[in-house]
Amino acid sequence: MPAPVVKRNKLFFSYTLRDGVVSNSLLSEIYTILVKTYDIFIDLLHNDSIDKQARVLNELKSSQYVFVLKTPMLEESSWVDIEIAETRKMGIPLFFIDLKEGCSNDEKIKKITSFVQSTIKEIK
C-alpha cells in the first residue's frame, strides 16, 4: 500500500530587489531552509515561464500563505502592489516581515525563517 500523500503548505514570497535589502542569495538561502517543510514559490528562483506575470498570479492563487518581505523601497514596486491586492481579494492570509538595511544576510535569514515557522505553527 502506498504511503499517504501529505499536503504541505504552499508559501508565496513577495518582495522587491530595488533597494538591495533582498538579494538572489538571500532568497536562495530562505528557499533552501524552508523547502524542507513547505512548498515555496519565489519568482526570481522559480519562474522560467514565457508569460512570467501569468505564472506569478497562478502561483499566488494556489498558495496558502503569502509573505511580503518589507523593505524601504517596497512601496515603489507596482508589481508587489498587485500581488498584495490579489492576495487580499482572494482572502489568502498575508504577513509582512520587516527587513532593514544594514542587517547581515544571516540576520535576515534567521528573522524570515523564524517568522514563517512560528506564524504557520500558531495558525494550525
Side-chain angles (χ1 to χ4, degrees), residues 62-107:
S62 66
S63 296
Q64 279 75 46
Y65 305 101
V66 174
F67 292 91
V68 179
L69 304 182
K70 190 173 180 188
T71 60
M73 296 287 293
L74 186 75
E75 294 176 5
E76 303 298 317
S77 172
S78 58
W79 191 244
V80 170
D81 289 343
I82 291 167
E83 292 170 355
I84 291 170
E86 288 298 312
T87 299
R88 288 183 170 142
K89 194 184 312 181
M90 292 182 276
I92 300 169
L94 175 66
F95 303 95
F96 291 85
I97 305 171
D98 286 319
L99 298 179
K100 300 197 179 359
E101 296 174 285
C103 291
S104 71
N105 260 12
D106 287 343
E107 291 172 311

Side-chain angles (χ1 to χ4, degrees), residues 29-59:
E29 288 291 327
I30 294 166
Y31 175 78
T32 300
I33 293 167
L34 294 176
V35 75
K36 297 171 187 168
T37 310
Y38 310 105
D39 290 330
I40 299 170
F41 179 77
I42 298 175
D43 180 42
L44 184 67
L45 303 179
H46 305 117
N47 195 345
D48 57 0
S49 301
I50 293 170
D51 187 346
K52 294 189 181 301
Q53 292 178 339
R55 169 84 184 272
V56 166
L57 291 175
N58 285 333
E59 295 288 345

